[in-house]
Amino acid sequence: MGSGLVDFPIRKKSSAILPDNNPSGKIAYSRHRRRANADRSKDMTLAIIGTGNMAKGLAKVFSRAGNAVVFGSRDPSEAASVARGFGDTVAAASIPEAVAKADMVFLAVPYDAVAAVVKAAGSLAGKIVVDLTNPMKADFSGLAIGFSTSAAEEIARLAPQAKVVKGFNTLFASVLQNGGEVAGTPATVLLAGDDADAVAEVGALVNSAGLKAIVAGPLAASRNIEAVAALNIGLGYGQGKGTDIAPTWVGI
């Protein structure tokens, strides 16, 4: 796998997953529940589309939790080069090959590249697709779209048969590459989606990887989550706070 071979183990996901947060947000996060989730979600195969810093950060936290991970790229040789940095825990493939064998697909690419990636992916019918993108303006001064739609909602229109879930977009890559922690505390991953089972499954994966999932609502709540991400980017870059920061909510 680390050698960049396309053949990677296909592992079956469990049907018994304990969400750390239901859509109402009233199930408390706990270590024992995270351990239970780890036992149930570690056999998933995850396709990460992209080879940049966010993709590498995701690969680190997910492979450490025992999941099979494959980088998908339009340039499989580039993906193989990145995969080699993870030893034998991560594979590489073309985008359609990675998607076809995965239980869950992560879009770790710029928003402007999403349409081309969805087209290259082939069938996404029934797949859980996690959208990491933020539709920022070219100068990062704010969001290019919002209020009446979001990046996640636009992706759902591009892939209507997929189960799109927003997530991970409020975190800097450095947080993921630090194992998903900020100042020794598990980072919060805000989730939104219209398919409750898909959201719960992503939430269980998040928690099993050592982070903390909070369900923000249906996919339309991505408009709020993307605004939180824009604020975080503004604080990190515009206000010079750095990238070892992340938003969270106390009491949830």
Side-chain angles (χ1 to χ4, degrees):
M1 288 186 285
S3 63
L5 297 176
V6 171
D7 293 330
F8 54 92
I10 303 175
R11 304 176 182 178
K12 298 300 181 182
K13 61 187 176 183
S14 167
S15 61
I17 299 245
L18 299 174
D20 277 61
N21 296 88
N22 63 14
S24 68
K26 293 182 179 179
I27 298 179
Y29 176 75
S30 63
R31 289 187 178 180
H32 81 273
R33 193 174 292 271
R34 184 171 69 200
R35 286 195 297 270
N37 286 334
D39 292 339
R40 289 163 171 79
S41 65
K42 66 182 179 181
D43 288 338
M44 297 184 69
T45 297
L46 311 175
I48 301 174
I49 309 304
T51 56
N53 290 332
M54 285 295 289
K56 294 173 186 175
L58 287 178
K60 179 174 182 177
V61 296
F62 290 148
S63 62
R64 182 186 64 178
N67 298 287
V69 176
V70 56
F71 287 118
S73 173
R74 284 179 288 186
D75 183 355
S77 62
E78 178 185 3
S81 178
V82 174
R84 280 193 287 271
F86 292 86
D88 292 329
T89 61
V90 178
S94 68
I95 292 175
E97 288 172 326
V99 168
K101 295 183 178 181
D103 298 302
M104 194 178 294
V105 179
F106 292 79
L107 300 179
V109 297
Y111 176 65
D112 290 346
V114 162
V117 166
V118 170
K119 183 177 181 180
S123 177
L124 289 167
K127 298 281 186 182
I128 297 176
V129 176
V130 183
D131 167 36
L132 281 72
T133 69
N134 287 308
M136 301 296 292
K137 296 179 181 177
D139 62 358
F140 287 88
S141 62
L143 294 172
I145 61 174
F147 296 108
S148 61
T149 189
S150 63
E153 290 168 280
E154 294 304 307
I155 291 168
R157 292 186 181 96
L158 290 172
Q161 293 182 305
K163 303 172 184 179
V164 178
V165 177
K166 191 74 188 185
F168 289 95
N169 65 302
T170 59
L171 301 182
F172 286 114
S174 59
V175 172
L176 293 173
Q177 292 170 359
N178 190 42
E181 293 189 348
V182 179
T185 300
T188 294
V189 178
L190 297 172
L191 302 176
D194 291 335
D195 187 301
D197 290 338
V199 173
E201 194 162 327
V202 177
L205 179 69
V206 168
N207 293 330
S208 72
L211 292 86
K212 177 180 178 180
I214 294 179
V215 178
L219 199 60
S222 300
R223 304 170 196 178
N224 300 328
I225 298 176
E226 289 169 13
V228 171
L231 175 61
N232 196 44
I233 290 169
L235 290 171
Y237 293 132
Q239 301 299 317
K241 305 299 184 184
T243 59
D244 292 325
I245 60 174
T248 190
W249 269 256
V250 175
I252 296 179

